[in-house]
Amino acid sequence: MTTYKIILFDLDGTLTESHIGIVKSFQYALGKMGIDEPKAENLIKHVGPPFQETLKNFYGMQPTEVDKAVGFFRQRFKEKGMFENELYPRIPSLLEKLKQEDKTLVVATSKLSAFAEGILRYFKIDHYFDFVEGSSLEGNTKAEVIQHALIHFPGVDKKDFIMIGDRNHDIIGARNAGIDSIAVAYGYGSVEELKNAEPTFIANSVEEIEGILNVSFVK
């Protein structure tokens, strides 16, 4: 089994169950733009990819409208949404064991780095991560986020990296970067979406991530 040295984690749907705060912030931003979207289930499918893509592709907004809506989203998310959130069970134990084995851990997320760092501090897991690679204010694709993260490790063989995420963007971005991936089926992407993205592995639980990474559960 391959022993990975540098492990990239997505945030939403991988480390945290975050849809409540994100959906409410979506609804707030859409409402400010004159769009009523009362059903949370219509928005959960958009958790993960950059908000800018959703506004453009699903709501037909023009660039100036996208910028305005993103501002409203970030306003509510900073004040409330980022804390309407929970860690998935066993995530702290997984991170603890990986650090005991001297793994380098990175968060690679479509969120702004400041938001991601605040969430990690809130859950007291920030000390496990060597750094956070987030999106720019203008918004990056997940492939760009992953590529930027890899720049921090010049000369490291691609076989030493693995990306863990719950959406096809994570898996496709990893493949484009030339690294392996674990698709987690407990997050916000459907099993069909994840299989179609062709990950190296699929994990149905944190326990299965532990098995793939060949670590033991810390009690």
Side-chain angles (χ1 to χ4, degrees):
M1 178 177 289
T2 301
T3 301
Y4 300 101
K5 298 178 181 177
I6 303 171
I7 303 168
L8 281 62
F9 285 89
D10 175 47
L11 183 57
D12 299 319
T14 302
L15 296 175
T16 69
E17 189 172 13
S18 56
H19 67 276
I20 293 176
I22 292 174
V23 165
K24 287 183 176 180
S25 299
F26 273 177
Q27 290 171 321
Y28 174 80
L30 291 172
K32 285 287 190 178
M33 300 300 294
I35 300 172
D36 184 27
E37 188 64 271
K39 293 184 178 180
E41 58 268 27
N42 292 339
L43 295 171
I44 289 176
K45 63 185 177 182
H46 299 306
V47 174
F51 189 37
Q52 291 91 335
E53 290 183 15
T54 299
L55 296 172
K56 177 183 175 182
N57 298 332
F58 289 88
Y59 292 97
M61 290 189 187
Q62 297 303 309
T64 55
E65 295 174 309
V66 169
D67 290 344
K68 192 173 182 180
V70 167
F72 289 131
F73 174 88
R74 289 174 178 165
Q75 175 189 338
R76 189 196 181 278
F77 190 79
K78 181 179 180 180
E79 294 173 357
K80 297 179 181 178
M82 63 190 292
F83 307 115
E84 296 167 323
N85 202 348
E86 293 183 3
L87 279 178
Y88 285 109
R90 295 179 72 147
I91 284 295
S93 296
L94 171 63
L95 300 176
E96 175 69 24
K97 183 61 177 179
L98 291 171
K99 292 309 291 185
Q100 286 179 4
E101 297 185 356
D102 294 323
K103 306 299 184 183
T104 297
L105 306 185
V106 177
V107 169
T109 176
S110 295
K111 273 187 168 52
L112 293 178
S113 295
F115 286 161
E117 290 164 356
I119 291 167
L120 298 178
R121 286 194 300 270
Y122 177 72
F123 287 117
K124 296 181 173 62
I125 59 172
D126 54 304
H127 60 287
Y128 293 119
F129 294 95
D130 294 84
F131 73 93
V132 173
E133 187 68 48
S135 178
S136 68
L137 286 170
E138 294 75 24
N140 295 107
T141 66
K142 196 53 174 284
E144 290 171 334
V145 170
I146 294 170
Q147 291 282 6
H148 292 165
L150 267 56
I151 291 172
H152 292 268
F153 304 98
V156 178
D157 197 301
K158 294 290 184 67
K159 67 179 177 58
D160 291 327
F161 294 88
I162 192 164
M163 174 71 201
I164 305 175
D166 70 310
R167 299 302 305 266
N168 59 1
H169 298 74
D170 301 305
I171 307 310
I172 294 169
R175 187 168 65 250
N176 289 345
I179 66 174
D180 285 354
S181 61
I182 301 174
V184 297
Y186 58 77
Y188 297 114
S190 69
V191 172
E192 181 181 10
E193 172 190 325
L194 296 173
K195 286 183 176 179
N196 288 342
E198 301 180 350
T200 313
F201 307 97
I202 294 181
N204 294 297
S205 64
V206 177
E207 292 92 329
E208 290 188 12
I209 296 175
E210 293 166 358
I212 293 167
L213 296 179
N214 196 28
V215 298
S216 301
F217 175 54
V218 180
K219 295 184 179 179

